[in-house]
Amino acid sequence: MANVQLAALRKVFGNNAPAVDVASLDIEEGEFLTLLGPSGCGKSTLLRMIAGLETPTSGDIRFNGKRVNRLDPAERNVAMVFQNYALYPHMTVAQNMGYPLKKRGIPEAERKVRIAEIAALLKIDQLLERRPRELSGGQQQRVALGRAMIRDPAVYLFDEPLSNLDASLRAYMRNELIRLRSKVKGTMIFVTHDQVEAMTMSTRIAVMEAGRIQQLATPDEVYERPATTFVASFVGTPSMNIFPAIAGPATGETRPLTFDDVTITVPASAVPEGPVTVGARPEDVLLRQGSRSVPVTVVESLGNEQIVTIDTGPRELVARVTTGPKVAIGETLTFDLNAEKLHFFSPETGRRLNAA
Ligand code: ATP
């Protein structure tokens, strides 16, 4: 296992804005850290620099305190798992898994023991004599994982490894990876644009935008206390409602918050007086409460919940409804916001204002 330290790491391609510009990032030994962000935010470039497949423009990468910038991938003791499993089609599962050991000259008897161990852990011991074309996508992904694990690498690097799988297999593999995390030694760095993968598997998430890390925190903290409006709208399905408002002068413990023609009361300590950007998660838009009546414009039913869009006039708000009678399109309902759970951001910088 290794702890991975990134210090002022930058990668610039040509005259473009930096693809990666990381102030600093300490990934602890045994951690499952996810780099989460939209397409083009630099997460694969960052991972490839850690792997040794891309040379940093400046900055340092250290494993256990030792600078590895100049080491090639093989010398770094990292294993990469990609979305295209890259298995050798002419080799059996056992041969695919054993290949990294064979290349290192490990004797066959020793290879066999190790293959059996890893295959049992990944529950692919029945498949060892098959070729990749005789496997399902999920089985192929497990073989690719097995091939990565067989060398006992210090650091695992995953580049969107689940994105080629269908929805149920992804859920299954997520579950498997969570289980494996406790059984396998090794620091894991996982790249994805899928917030569900990031939220469910990670010890911490680094949310990236335009080459920079916007927030580095546990999944709960990212959801409950997003550092910026970007993080707030990127994490959570449906996205957080984000809109401008004015916070009025405090009266004792509370102050008014006005948006459009609605005024609600919020804790005075949550937000300073003046213009503010408000964030309200769909579960904190409360229907059949408050006094303002608005029409329902869209209803998405998911069985156990409904995602309901209401039209407040100047904007639409999205609410998550899990209790009460079913909501129908065209219905008129009152709404309120859960004042204790609102998020406040600076209109200038987009950074979070409230501590609570
Ligand atoms: P995706 O999820 O689509 O793979 P990403 O977040 O992994 O996106 P990167 O692939 O790291 O993003 O790319 C970051 C930026 O760097 C993009 O603007 C991309 O066009 C640019 N880039 C990546 N590789 C190169 C390259 N070899 N030459 C020039 N520009 C590159």
Side-chain angles (χ1 to χ4, degrees):
M1 275 210 273
N3 87 329
V4 177
Q5 232 180 9
L6 310 179
L9 195 63
R10 291 180 102 226
K11 178 70 186 181
V12 183
F13 292 106
N15 294 325
N16 299 332
V20 171
D21 193 357
V22 172
S24 80
L25 179 58
D26 278 347
I27 305 164
E28 288 156 28
E29 214 168 67
E31 187 165 12
F32 193 118
L33 181 108
T34 298
L35 303 172
L36 173 69
S39 182
C41 72
K43 50 198 189 302
S44 296
T45 304
L46 179 50
L47 197 76
R48 289 169 58 78
M49 285 195 282
I50 299 170
L53 300 171
E54 202 79 72
T55 314
T57 306
S58 57
D60 281 336
I61 304 165
R62 296 190 200 98
F63 287 2
N64 287 334
K66 184 181 159 214
R67 190 169 179 269
V68 298
N69 289 39
R70 290 184 179 280
L71 297 186
D72 68 30
E75 294 171 307
R76 293 189 191 194
N77 196 18
V78 297
M80 267 192 102
V81 183
F82 299 96
Q83 57 178 267
N84 54 348
Y85 330 111
L87 298 175
Y88 299 110
H90 59 285
M91 292 187 190
T92 63
V93 166
Q95 287 165 341
N96 263 288
M97 287 176 64
Y99 188 70
L101 300 184
K102 193 174 178 186
K103 241 176 39 182
R104 291 181 170 194
I106 310 280
E108 188 178 356
E110 202 177 315
R111 288 201 310 261
K112 271 194 158 158
V113 172
R114 187 81 183 126
I115 291 168
E117 263 173 31
I118 302 283
L121 193 64
L122 291 169
K123 302 198 191 79
I124 47 175
D125 30 0
Q126 306 301 317
L127 309 175
L128 288 176
E129 294 315 313
R130 291 207 202 164
R131 305 209 185 256
R133 67 169 181 279
E134 298 163 323
L135 303 175
S136 71
Q139 289 168 336
Q140 290 186 38
Q141 190 54 278
R142 266 186 280 169
V143 176
L145 197 57
R147 191 178 53 185
M149 288 163 62
I150 204 133
R151 295 194 283 116
D152 214 0
V155 182
Y156 288 88
L157 303 173
F158 297 97
D159 196 352
E160 309 232 16
L162 309 185
S163 59
N164 279 352
L165 307 177
D166 67 35
S168 65
L169 252 179
R170 281 169 89 128
Y172 178 78
M173 284 304 293
R174 272 204 313 266
N175 213 288
E176 291 286 289
L177 281 172
I178 293 167
R179 260 184 252 270
L180 272 179
R181 217 176 57 188
S182 55
K183 292 188 198 154
V184 176
K185 282 203 224 113
T187 305
M188 301 190 177
I189 307 177
F190 191 98
V191 158
T192 185
H193 61 270
D194 182 323
Q195 45 145 331
V196 176
E197 287 174 11
M199 291 296 287
T200 51
M201 297 193 292
S202 323
T203 48
R204 283 190 304 167
I205 303 175
V207 187
M208 292 183 68
E209 187 201 16
R212 287 172 182 267
I213 294 174
Q214 294 251 331
Q215 184 168 14
L216 173 65
T218 63
D220 281 349
E221 207 177 337
V222 166
Y223 190 82
E224 284 159 20
R225 300 176 29 76
T228 64
T229 48
F230 173 80
V231 176
S233 53
F234 194 75
V235 175
T237 314
S239 283
M240 188 186 276
N241 298 284
I242 293 181
F243 50 90
I246 305 281
T251 316
E253 303 276 284
T254 63
R255 68 170 84 244
L257 180 80
T258 304
F259 59 98
D260 310 332
D261 57 354
V262 180
T263 298
I264 62 170
T265 302
V266 298
S269 58
V271 57
E273 186 178 347
V276 66
T277 300
V278 179
R281 295 256 178 230
E283 53 270 34
D284 298 318
V285 177
L286 311 172
L287 299 186
R288 303 191 180 99
Q289 297 188 36
S291 56
R292 173 90 196 283
S293 286
V294 292
V296 170
T297 51
V298 182
V299 176
E300 294 171 85
S301 281
L302 298 168
N304 61 342
E305 64 180 21
Q306 289 184 297
I307 306 301
V308 176
T309 306
I310 54 174
D311 184 355
T312 68
R315 72 195 71 261
E316 290 192 317
L317 295 177
V318 175
R320 185 192 304 279
V321 181
T322 53
T323 55
K326 294 276 182 190
V327 176
I329 295 180
E331 205 177 331
T332 300
L333 293 175
T334 57
F335 85 96
D336 201 356
L337 299 180
N338 183 351
E340 301 290 329
K341 288 289 187 77
L342 296 179
H343 305 258
F344 297 106
F345 305 93
S346 157
E348 284 86 37
T349 65
R351 297 206 70 80
R352 182 178 192 85
L353 294 172
N354 57 327

